[in-house]
Amino acid sequence: MTETSLPAGVFSGLRRWPDVEAPNLQAYDTADALLLERAAPSLTPGTAVSVIGDAYGALTLGAVAAYGLTGLRVHQDPLSGEQALERNARSLGMDPVWMHHPLSPALVGGAQVVLLRLPRSLDALDEAARLIAEHADPGATVYAGGRIKHMSRGMNDVLGRYFESVTAGLAKGKSRVLTAERPVPGHRLPPSRFPLSAEYELPVPVTAEAGAPAPGKLRLRAYGAAFGGAALDPGTRFLLPHLHQARKARHAIDLGCGTGTIAAALALSRPGIKVTATDQSAAAVASATETMRANGVAGRVEVIRDDALSTQPDASCDLILLNPPFHIGASVHTGIALKLFADAGRVLRPGGELWTVWNSHLAYRPALNRLVGPTRQVDRNPKFTVAVSVRR
């Protein structure tokens, strides 16, 4: 099977939703087509199939359309991926014969075939591979594909920890598929490494709360697909010493919270404040939840999975903090930052503040002036800029 042998319109009709994030980027690539081609002999009706890492629905919809599969279990870390799959299905008139799952035993329990888009992070691959080996059918086969430029020998090694056989297929269209077979028996599986743990000096005064780390310490937790792992992001590190300058607020939002560094630091440094930490990544939400527990502030920080601030009312918050991403998958794209700025402007009350740190070369200040309000630079070095925008 080749991409062109798929039913007409399945791939060509796919879009990268929401368009504001990436209006001109393709919603599928040759790795999607090659995965379906290599897995074709195993994709028969009645086979228990799980799909992991399907960016915009190409794998799921292609498997349904080409092979008549039903009952697929699908995990997409970004909420935007889930939304894209559903919207693409509706636009193509396809019935939803799949179920969304978190990265959990229910996703892969008894699975006979797993279609996996290889993540760029070896930690993300490690967590997924171990989960599959522990809970999938003993005869399960994993077809793991990606673009060659994003693949490494380390991916073979990771899969080799959890499967008796790992083979690399021939390259095609600058993509390749690794086939992993015969999961390692449970008694031979290495212990899970997740969540990852790290502790850092916190450059802001902290309160002594029950369950909190030692004064001046911040504990981070991270699951495999969380961006940056348990490392303290350098942009966030540059922002933290300025948190004490942010306006007083009873409720604050850490927008795009990642592993929860900013939310935890704010809660530790401001007794009594309530914080909402929000991210569209399921791994980030799980990681931030563990970070709050590790720092003893889970009772004052609510962590939610959200598309930007879609669940937050207009003019409802006085303080938002943001370290915006500038990648969509492997692509550098600033559209997501503009979307976050606009949503922050909507949710802030007049006079409310948005504190932002960004890579200095991105020059976001004009956009912040337009989408939020007057913006002033607080600090800058060759790599990062910290600014505060006041809602008009």
Side-chain angles (χ1 to χ4, degrees):
M1 189 195 78
T2 66
E3 177 183 336
T4 54
S5 70
L6 285 172
V10 171
F11 276 177
S12 61
L14 294 180
R15 295 175 61 187
R16 291 183 71 140
W17 299 89
D19 285 349
V20 68
E21 290 188 8
N24 300 313
L25 298 179
Q26 190 167 278
Y28 62 94
D29 59 29
T30 54
D32 294 313
L34 189 60
L35 263 169
L36 292 173
E37 176 184 331
R38 295 288 189 262
S42 303
L43 298 178
T44 57
T47 303
V49 178
S50 298
V51 181
I52 300 177
D54 190 1
Y56 296 92
L59 284 178
T60 303
L61 298 178
V64 171
Y67 307 110
L69 299 180
T70 61
L72 283 78
R73 289 169 284 175
V74 181
H75 173 71
Q76 295 162 285
D77 181 69
L79 183 58
S80 61
E82 292 184 8
Q83 295 170 338
L85 170 55
E86 300 303 322
R87 291 176 178 179
N88 279 320
R90 286 196 299 270
S91 71
L92 295 169
M94 299 180 69
D95 293 329
V97 291
W98 54 84
M99 289 289 292
H100 295 286
H101 285 271
L103 192 67
S104 67
L107 169 68
V108 295
Q112 297 165 297
V113 174
V114 179
L115 303 177
L116 171 69
R117 275 303 302 253
L118 285 164
R120 298 185 74 181
S121 161
L122 293 182
D123 282 337
L125 179 59
D126 189 291
E127 186 176 16
R130 190 189 186 285
L131 183 75
I132 296 165
E134 184 174 9
H135 297 286
D137 186 272
T141 300
V142 177
Y143 297 93
R147 301 285 284 168
I148 291 173
K149 64 183 179 181
H150 299 144
M151 295 175 68
S152 69
R153 177 67 192 182
M155 292 175 173
N156 302 59
D157 297 337
V158 169
L159 290 171
R161 294 176 201 150
Y162 302 105
F163 296 88
E164 303 286 0
S165 170
V166 179
T167 57
L170 296 175
K172 181 178 180 181
K174 299 182 180 179
S175 298
R176 190 185 300 277
V177 172
L178 306 178
T179 302
E181 301 175 282
R182 301 191 300 279
V184 169
H187 68 279
R188 288 172 46 201
L189 288 174
S192 174
R193 300 166 47 234
F194 302 97
L196 304 174
S197 303
E199 185 172 279
Y200 300 92
E201 296 291 333
L202 186 60
V204 294
V206 299
T207 58
E209 298 191 23
K217 301 292 184 180
L218 176 69
R219 295 170 179 161
L220 296 184
R221 301 291 184 263
Y223 286 94
F227 181 77
L232 181 55
D233 177 82
T236 297
R237 186 191 294 271
F238 190 59
L239 169 66
L240 291 181
H242 302 288
L243 285 183
H244 70 281
Q245 301 179 52
R247 65 166 295 163
K248 292 181 180 180
R250 288 177 295 180
H251 173 235
I253 297 174
D254 179 4
L255 174 55
C257 65
T259 55
T261 305
I262 295 173
L266 192 65
L268 286 168
S269 61
R270 297 194 180 193
I273 194 172
K274 298 289 186 179
V275 182
T276 299
T278 173
D279 203 294
Q280 73 150 338
S281 161
V285 167
S287 302
T289 299
E290 292 301 319
T291 291
M292 301 314 144
R293 291 174 182 160
N295 289 283
V297 296
R300 293 194 288 115
V301 182
E302 179 187 21
V303 185
I304 62 174
R305 190 174 183 222
D306 198 2
D307 177 16
L309 295 174
S310 68
T311 62
Q312 303 299 313
D314 294 358
S316 60
C317 184
D318 290 317
L319 178 61
I320 299 177
L321 304 111
L322 170 63
N323 180 355
F326 60 95
H327 287 85
I328 299 176
S331 305
V332 177
H333 199 284
T334 58
I336 182 61
L338 301 182
K339 175 182 178 179
L340 296 175
F341 296 162
D343 230 16
R346 176 185 64 80
V347 171
L348 283 171
R349 294 189 181 97
E353 293 180 353
L354 171 65
W355 282 73
T356 313
V357 60
W358 68 79
N359 294 67
S360 293
H361 70 276
L362 294 173
Y364 282 141
R365 189 168 174 177
L368 287 164
N369 280 323
R370 182 178 76 255
L371 296 170
V372 181
T375 299
R376 66 175 175 86
Q377 179 177 300
V378 176
D379 199 359
R380 180 185 176 93
N381 67 19
K383 290 187 176 181
F384 301 105
T385 296
V386 173
V388 56
S389 307
V390 180
R391 185 72 174 94
R392 294 183 183 88

